[in-house]
Amino acid sequence: MTTKGSFENDFDDYSPTNLTPLLNENRDGISEKFQAKLQNYKTAKFAFLITKLEKELFCDGTVYTGSTGLALYYLMLGLGNHDSLQDNLQKALDYLDLDKLKGRRISFLCGDAGPLAIATVISHKLGTRRPNYLPDYRELSVRLLNLGSLLNDSPDELLYGKAGYLYSLLFVNKYVHGRNVISDDHIEKVASLILKSGKEFSQHTKSESPLLWQWHDKVYLGAAHGMAGILYILLQARAYIKSHDIRGFVRPTIDWLMKQQFPSGNFPSSLHSSSGDRLVQWCHGAPGFIPLCILAYQVFEEERYLKIAIQCGDLIWQRGLCAKGYSLCHGVSGNAYAFLQLYQVLKKPVYLHRAGCFMEWCAVERQGTELHRPDRPASLFEGLLGRIYLVEDIINPQTALFPGLCL
């Protein structure tokens, strides 16, 4: 049964007095039985992905819908296990095609910056084992920096715009240690341009929010195209932003954004949205706000941000079994990450249990629970690879990172 775009949640919520088969005895990880089930699921689905869906996987070279999503999967798998690092880096190279980059889009998820950032990290980590056809990491980083020529003609949001480019720069800096391949000046410039755009549009519209951004003539509020995603990336880049901009613009904009919350705990997809309190998915709605609220709590040390994140989590538990399907972008896998993010900061087993229930929903694939077949059924953000990615993260919940968003 569906209501407002989601299935009714019939899972039992966590109870301290009842053992849940999804968690181990200490309730700080998933149980051996559930892990074995997920490993079997992953093995079967991965074999299906790289055989039956291989052509589909190479529909384009992006992280979001194409082969670089699988390259990112192998890279993150290797970074999480030093013993398998070199092997996974070599596998990742099979899904990178830098020759087809068109130099038109700037972001990590849907543009050239993602493949270049991932290739830069792989090239650096391979060191002397780097194959001749893969450029040196310094050469790749220059190509990434040169994408900065597209900044003035790019939107500000995460999926296609400057925030996605900023994430790419931060990604390289995180995993290429101490090499300064991305200069502080370049990161500061990108962050400054995002802030400048937000200030100008806010002034133009006479908004109460000190910063405001639009995409396709709408003020989107969520993670993929809107305010939550941009602000979260800016907060992750706060070391490169002047403190008065954080205090006078970023933080009060976050506070303005929090005031847009519905009584249910959800958020509108856009300012003055006609769709109302309907969408509960990463790209539009409460799931995409949880990382921002948690980071705001950690940076500004105010409990109210964490309380909003908890409200979002309760709403996702009630209405997060999306009828659209299992995807990271607009489905149940993406919503499961909201629980993993809450678990990381609160350490409460209820959130790990809830993430496990949503993972179970995705793995069982009950008939009729995916009402919209994904356009790209193999892909990281719309298709099967997203669920496989989630399996790895739910087995290692403390280190789980939503791809293309969290560092």
Side-chain angles (χ1 to χ4, degrees):
M1 179 181 174
T2 62
T3 57
K4 290 189 176 181
S6 66
F7 291 95
E8 189 174 336
N9 186 351
D10 290 328
F11 287 108
D12 291 329
D13 203 358
Y14 176 79
S15 168
T17 57
N18 295 327
L19 285 176
T20 164
L22 301 181
L23 302 187
N24 62 22
E25 286 186 10
N26 295 330
R27 306 188 187 198
D28 60 358
I30 64 171
S31 66
E32 289 185 12
K33 186 176 181 180
F34 189 41
Q35 183 168 332
K37 179 178 181 178
L38 292 183
Q39 292 287 15
N40 290 336
Y41 167 83
K42 185 187 74 170
T43 300
K45 290 298 184 182
F46 201 87
F48 181 74
L49 178 75
I50 61 175
T51 54
K52 303 295 185 182
L53 295 179
E54 187 177 32
K55 286 186 179 178
E56 175 62 42
L57 196 61
F58 283 92
C59 67
D60 63 44
T62 69
V63 174
Y64 188 91
T65 50
S67 59
T68 307
L70 190 48
L72 177 64
Y73 168 82
Y74 277 123
L75 171 60
M76 300 311 290
L77 203 59
L79 292 172
N81 183 351
H82 185 74
D83 292 340
S84 68
L85 176 60
Q86 294 294 326
D87 182 46
N88 279 308
L89 293 178
Q90 294 291 347
K91 290 177 181 177
L93 291 178
D94 292 338
Y95 297 95
L96 274 175
D97 190 350
L98 302 179
D99 295 331
K100 290 186 179 178
L101 300 184
K102 297 182 172 65
R104 294 177 192 161
R105 283 183 175 167
I106 200 170
S107 71
F108 186 89
L109 290 175
C110 293
D112 289 5
L116 286 171
I118 291 165
T120 300
V121 175
I122 292 171
S123 177
H124 175 257
K125 296 292 182 185
L126 282 172
T128 56
R129 300 186 188 186
R130 173 177 61 86
N132 291 332
Y133 66 83
L134 179 67
D136 180 77
Y137 73 93
R138 286 160 290 206
E139 181 183 334
L140 289 163
S141 69
V142 169
R143 289 180 64 181
L144 179 60
L145 291 169
N146 288 342
L147 284 177
S149 62
L150 301 172
L151 281 165
N152 290 332
D153 296 321
S154 298
D156 297 289
E157 45 82 84
L158 180 71
L159 225 58
Y160 301 107
K162 298 185 190 76
Y165 182 56
L166 180 55
Y167 176 86
S168 305
L169 304 176
L170 298 173
F171 182 88
V172 171
N173 260 12
K174 177 176 179 178
Y175 295 112
V176 181
H177 302 293
R179 299 290 179 168
N180 202 30
V181 292
I182 308 295
S183 71
D184 290 357
D185 287 347
H186 192 72
I187 298 176
E188 288 166 7
K189 174 189 174 184
V190 178
S192 178
L193 284 173
I194 296 171
L195 288 167
K196 180 174 180 283
S197 176
K199 291 172 185 177
E200 289 176 350
F201 188 62
S202 170
Q203 290 167 2
H204 175 72
T205 58
K206 297 181 173 58
S207 173
E208 292 179 14
S209 174
L211 299 169
L212 205 69
W213 298 276
Q214 66 171 339
W215 187 73
H216 286 195
D217 301 321
K218 278 188 178 182
V219 177
Y220 283 95
L221 302 184
H225 300 298
M227 305 277 287
I230 297 169
L231 290 164
Y232 180 62
I233 301 299
L234 288 174
L235 263 195
Q236 290 185 102
R238 62 193 178 279
Y240 305 94
I241 299 172
K242 292 181 175 64
S243 59
H244 72 81
D245 274 331
I246 295 291
R247 288 194 313 269
F249 289 91
V250 174
R251 184 175 182 179
T253 299
I254 294 171
D255 291 341
W256 172 87
L257 185 60
M258 296 302 109
K259 292 176 184 175
Q260 311 310 310
Q261 189 179 30
F262 289 122
S264 68
N266 200 18
F267 282 86
S269 60
S270 61
L271 202 57
H272 313 304
S273 169
S274 60
S275 63
D277 182 0
R278 186 171 59 87
L279 301 175
V280 182
Q281 54 200 46
W282 172 77
C283 50
H284 301 295
F289 284 78
I290 284 181
L292 173 63
C293 292
I294 288 173
L295 188 54
Y297 160 71
Q298 293 168 330
V299 171
F300 304 123
E301 298 181 336
E302 281 209 26
E303 290 282 338
R304 59 192 174 94
Y305 298 117
L306 186 58
K307 287 179 180 177
I308 294 171
I310 291 169
Q311 289 172 352
C312 289
D314 290 341
L315 178 277
I316 296 163
W317 177 247
Q318 294 161 17
R319 291 170 44 197
L321 295 175
C322 303
K324 287 181 180 178
Y326 314 119
S327 73
L328 285 183
C329 183
H330 40 263
V332 182
S333 292
N335 291 352
Y337 271 94
F339 298 131
L340 291 178
Q341 289 152 357
L342 284 165
Y343 176 72
Q344 287 170 345
V345 69
L346 292 168
K347 306 294 188 292
K348 292 185 176 181
V350 58
Y351 296 113
L352 193 53
H353 168 80
R354 288 177 175 183
C357 290
F358 276 36
M359 179 74 255
E360 174 98 352
W361 176 273
C362 294
V364 171
E365 299 180 11
R366 292 179 183 86
Q367 189 172 1
T369 57
E370 187 178 44
L371 300 186
H372 300 270
R373 179 174 165 77
D375 294 333
R376 297 298 178 189
S379 67
L380 178 58
F381 268 74
E382 293 183 3
L384 180 57
L385 180 54
R387 280 179 277 165
I388 294 171
Y389 203 103
L390 174 62
V391 168
E392 298 292 346
D393 274 343
I394 209 163
I395 290 172
N396 302 286
Q398 292 290 9
T399 56
L401 293 170
F402 193 99
L405 177 75
C406 300
L407 289 161

